[in-house]
């Protein structure tokens, strides 16, 4: 019994019987009687360069149809010296794919914007074994497999990033960074957001506050401290408590001393570790401080997922998904050789339930 013939797809001639390999441009060139360069120009529909007659174009297109030729997407990408791949590299010890990880919303914004722009993503996971520094001096060299790379993390190796920037490789850091020179970054407006939180506390009557932060020079931390100071300039007095290990150094006794000295509000920064807020909550509970009756608490960011229980903290929410999308827009512009600028993204104030008037305010 004769087998039924396969129906050809509309607009495309079937490949010759018995053929299994993909037809190549060289075969199209031989059949049309022209050079392979001419075939490449015609199939790419390039009108610039050498003039190609309409008759030659017709011969090339007919030859391609008769052979069943279709462009090889991989070859196209190689010819363009681009892979349509954007890298994502995290300097955290574990790559942030858990939905409860504070970086996860960044990745949601990255993925959506990349898909919208026709890019695929490559997630570089070597950092999951202990951070980029654990892999040696050339830990970041593999990101060159992509057309450009987006980096996440507070503690990035400046020297290695500097080499990428100096080589002209498109790099964007998610979060403000002062080093290396020339590095592009996108960030949230932490200065204005922190100033707004302190202004809210001042409006409730607080005049003495303490900021609890980690002991490093990460730009996100310095921006929050700057906003804290600016918010207090005209209304009161503030001090800053810095610690490499807040959960060890912020004791209930220290909180009680501050309260005895007239402090009525405590403000903690948010980081990827959550250490400052975790330490403040624990110390306040151990000291028997009821919030906001005895003192007000505020968080410059959103609470870690494992501390989402209890009253919602006064503070602000970081637009992580929007920041991820902005980072991809900037990286795509750099890959295309265009000017790349993105404004600071505003944070959203969160009134919360952990702040109120200072003790005794109703008596005045």
């Amino acid at each position: 019994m004769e087998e039924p013939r396969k129906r050809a797809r509309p607009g495309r001639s079937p490949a010759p019987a018995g053929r299994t390999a993909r037809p190549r441009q060289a075969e199209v060139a031989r059949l049309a009687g022209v050079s392979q360069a001419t075939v490449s120009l015609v199939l790419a529909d390039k009108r610039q360069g050498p003039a190609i007659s309409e008759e030659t174009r017709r011969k090339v297109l007919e030859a391609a149809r008769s052979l069943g030729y279709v462009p090889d997407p991989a070859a196209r990408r190689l010819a363009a010296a681009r892979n349509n791949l954007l890298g994502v590299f995290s300097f955290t010890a574990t790559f942030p794919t858990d939905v409860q990880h504070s970086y996860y919303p960044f990745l949601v914004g990255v993925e959506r914007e990349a898909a919208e722009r026709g890019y695929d993503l490559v997630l570089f996971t070597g950092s999951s074994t202990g951070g980029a520094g654990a892999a040696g001096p050339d830990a970041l060299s593999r990101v060159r497999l992509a057309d450009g790379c987006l980096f996440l993390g507070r503690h990035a190796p400046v020297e290695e990033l500097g080499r990428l920037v100096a080589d002209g490789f498109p790099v964007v850091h998610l979060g403000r960074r002062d080093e290396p020179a020339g590095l592009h970054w996108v960030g949230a407006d932490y200065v204005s957001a922190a100033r707004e939180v302190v202004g809210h506390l001042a409006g409730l009557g607080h005049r003495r506050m303490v900021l609890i932060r980690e002991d490093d020079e990460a730009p996100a931390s310095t921006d929050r401290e700057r906003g804290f100071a600016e918010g207090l300039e005209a209304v009161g007095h503030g001090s800053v408590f810095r610690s490499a290990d807040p959960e060890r150094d912020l004791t209930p006794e220290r909180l009680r001393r501050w309260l005895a000295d007239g402090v009525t509000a405590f403000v903690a920064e948010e980081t990827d570790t959550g250490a400052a807020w975790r330490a403040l909550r624990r110390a306040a509970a151990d000291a028997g401080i009821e919030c906001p009756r005895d003192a007000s608490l505020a968080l410059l960011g959103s609470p870690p997922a494992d501390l989402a229980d209890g009253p919602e903290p006064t503070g602000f929410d970081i637009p992580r998904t929007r920041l991820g999308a902005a980072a991809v827009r900037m990286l795509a512009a750099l890959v295309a050789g265009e000017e790349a600028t993105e404004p600071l993204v505003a944070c959203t104030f969160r009134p919360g339930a952990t702040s109120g008037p200072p003790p005794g305010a109703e008596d005045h």
Side-chain angles (χ1 to χ4, degrees):
M1 181 176 179
E2 184 179 355
E3 293 184 2
R5 295 182 179 180
K6 292 183 179 180
R7 182 174 296 175
R9 295 180 181 177
R12 174 182 164 189
S13 299
R19 186 184 187 101
T20 57
R22 179 195 295 270
R24 296 176 298 174
Q25 285 191 4
E27 297 173 75
V28 177
R30 283 195 295 271
L31 184 59
V34 299
S35 69
Q36 187 172 340
T38 297
V39 171
S40 179
L41 290 171
V42 170
L43 295 180
D45 197 25
K46 292 184 177 179
R47 302 285 173 170
Q48 68 272 28
I52 299 175
S53 68
E54 289 304 317
E55 176 66 15
T56 299
R57 289 182 183 278
R58 182 185 61 77
K59 287 182 179 179
V60 170
L61 294 174
E62 286 183 355
R65 279 194 294 269
S66 67
L67 291 171
Y69 174 85
V70 292
D72 183 343
R76 275 187 167 184
R77 289 177 175 180
L78 287 173
R82 284 171 53 182
N83 298 313
N84 279 7
L85 298 174
L86 299 182
V88 181
F89 195 109
S90 170
F91 296 109
T92 56
T94 303
F95 200 84
T97 53
D98 189 318
V99 295
Q100 292 189 330
H101 196 290
S102 61
Y103 282 2
Y104 183 80
F106 289 132
L107 294 181
V108 172
V110 167
E111 191 277 333
R112 289 175 181 170
E113 189 69 20
E116 182 72 21
R117 294 176 176 272
Y119 283 98
D120 293 316
L121 295 176
V122 179
L123 307 181
F124 293 97
T125 59
S127 56
S128 64
T129 58
D138 297 320
L140 302 189
S141 61
R142 63 189 183 277
V143 305
R144 296 177 188 268
L145 294 169
D147 299 324
C149 193
L150 168 66
F151 293 94
L152 300 89
R154 286 164 63 89
H155 305 294
V158 174
E159 185 176 345
E160 292 180 56
L161 280 177
R163 280 198 291 270
L164 292 175
V165 172
D167 290 345
F169 183 76
V171 172
V172 172
H173 187 269
L174 213 163
R176 184 174 78 80
R177 288 196 65 86
D178 297 326
E179 294 182 310
L183 175 69
H184 287 82
W185 54 268
V186 299
D189 188 356
Y190 293 135
V191 175
S192 297
R195 187 170 58 235
E196 184 175 9
V197 171
V198 172
H200 172 76
L201 294 171
L204 292 172
H206 297 278
R207 296 296 179 264
R208 296 200 64 186
M209 309 180 201
V210 172
L211 171 66
I212 294 100
R213 56 164 292 190
E214 294 185 32
D215 189 20
D216 62 32
E217 297 303 327
S221 294
T222 59
D223 284 352
R224 286 176 168 93
E225 182 174 336
R226 177 184 159 195
F228 174 79
E230 290 181 1
L232 275 170
E233 279 179 357
V235 296
H237 172 75
S239 59
V240 178
F241 175 75
R242 294 177 59 144
S243 170
D245 188 355
E247 294 185 82
R248 178 197 64 198
D249 298 333
L250 188 62
T251 62
E253 293 73 24
R254 189 182 294 272
L255 285 190
R256 292 192 190 101
R257 287 198 300 270
W258 278 328
L259 290 176
D261 289 339
V263 173
T264 59
F266 300 97
V267 182
E269 70 165 349
E270 178 200 358
T271 67
D272 49 6
T273 68
W277 180 244
R278 185 174 285 104
L280 178 58
R281 283 216 342 176
R282 177 194 50 75
D286 290 348
I289 298 172
E290 185 175 330
C291 168
R293 186 196 66 185
D294 303 323
S296 289
L297 307 184
L299 173 61
L300 302 183
S302 303
D306 62 326
L307 294 182
D309 61 310
E312 182 182 50
T314 297
F316 60 79
D317 293 316
I318 301 169
R320 289 181 168 88
T321 302
R322 289 166 53 203
L323 282 167
V328 171
R329 288 194 297 270
M330 177 176 284
L331 187 56
L334 291 175
V335 168
E338 301 170 355
E339 289 292 326
T341 57
E342 283 283 340
L344 287 174
V345 180
C347 299
T348 304
F349 175 71
R350 184 183 60 245
T354 59
S355 62
E362 63 277 6
D363 300 330
H364 298 283

